Amino acid sequence: MSNLITSNELIINQKRLPSLDSQEYDAFWKNERDKCINGLLIDGVYLSGFLYWHLNYFKCDIDFTDDMGNNIMIYGSPYLRDNEWLVDDYIQQGEKAKKGVLLAGTRRFAKTIIEQSYICRKATFFRNTQNVVSGTNQKDIDLIIGGVRKCFRNMVPAFKHGILQNSAKEQISLGIKLNSNESDVFSTIPVRNLD
């Protein structure tokens, strides 16, 4: 397992990324996009597209122990814990069976973070998707949408879409504004308050 998390296949372990004007820029980011969609094998261990995305591109507030032993919150890449492996397996099974996955559990299970990451990945890479956020109260919805917005604000430029609509009560729409003043919507994140 330690070989996996320290592998140079992970973008978080890359020392240098190609600049926008370099010849390798397009090929490099196409390869990264493919990893985020299809996953990859590292030392014989399959890392799904979701788990690759989650560990490398999705950022969130995480607990961190500084050099002085203080527990603090930082904005960074999620940790690879047993929870992430288990949930990823359930997600893969659910997608294969074309069924949903229900996450329920105790605090610190990372349900909200996994939901935010899953929504951001689908909205970023899969055109014409509707990635619905629903909840029974606005506070829970705002928590999920807040993480989604933060992810999109901090997205690597190669994967970044324009934000056409950004409402925590209605929906977030990703895409571009065309010269004709019409919108080319790539994906949407509709918001549904079930209260």
Side-chain angles (χ1 to χ4, degrees):
M1 184 73 64
S2 63
N3 289 346
L4 177 105
I5 204 63
T6 59
S7 169
N8 286 334
E9 287 288 336
L10 302 181
I11 195 89
I12 57 174
N13 297 327
Q14 297 283 325
K15 302 266 189 265
R16 184 188 75 79
L17 300 177
S19 62
L20 182 60
D21 59 351
S22 69
Q23 289 184 342
E24 53 282 328
Y25 183 87
D26 288 339
F28 178 86
W29 289 108
K30 181 189 179 305
N31 185 47
E32 285 301 304
R33 179 184 183 279
D34 290 345
K35 290 179 190 178
C36 289
I37 293 171
N38 302 311
L40 73 157
L41 277 175
I42 299 176
D43 293 333
V45 177
Y46 176 67
L47 199 62
S48 74
F50 169 70
L51 204 48
Y52 183 81
W53 154 268
H54 185 69
L55 297 173
N56 290 278
Y57 291 101
F58 182 75
K59 305 289 187 241
C60 59
D61 294 323
I62 57 171
D63 293 324
F64 180 76
T65 304
D66 67 14
D67 293 338
M68 303 298 289
N70 300 312
N71 291 329
I72 58 174
M73 295 293 279
I74 63 168
Y75 189 68
S77 299
Y79 299 116
L80 178 58
R81 308 170 305 159
D82 290 346
N83 291 351
E84 282 72 19
W85 280 112
L86 290 169
V87 170
D88 181 60
D89 185 51
Y90 296 139
I91 288 170
Q92 289 182 63
Q93 289 178 45
E95 287 181 346
K96 186 175 181 181
K98 297 189 185 306
K99 296 191 177 199
V101 175
L102 174 67
L103 297 179
T106 184
R107 290 180 49 79
R108 315 227 7 111
F109 178 57
K111 298 177 298 291
T112 301
I113 288 171
I114 290 170
E115 290 168 352
Q116 292 167 343
S117 180
Y118 187 81
I119 290 164
C120 289
R121 175 179 169 262
K122 286 289 191 177
T124 297
F125 296 111
F126 298 94
R127 181 177 273 282
N128 297 323
T129 55
Q130 287 188 333
N131 308 279
V132 180
V133 173
S134 63
T136 56
N137 64 68
Q138 196 62 43
K139 183 179 173 188
D140 290 344
I141 291 169
D142 289 344
L143 186 62
I144 293 171
I145 293 297
V148 167
R149 284 178 168 153
K150 198 169 185 180
C151 174
F152 290 145
R153 277 195 311 271
N154 293 289
M155 184 77 62
V156 295
F159 297 158
K160 198 169 209 161
H161 294 281
I163 297 179
L164 300 171
Q165 183 179 1
N166 191 358
S167 169
K169 295 190 186 300
E170 295 175 23
Q171 82 176 17
I172 297 172
S173 298
L174 303 179
I176 59 172
K177 195 66 107 169
L178 302 172
N179 290 340
S180 63
N181 216 17
E182 293 181 17
S183 297
D184 179 12
V185 177
F186 184 83
S187 62
T188 60
I189 304 169
V191 178
R192 304 290 181 258
N193 188 334
L194 305 175
D195 186 24

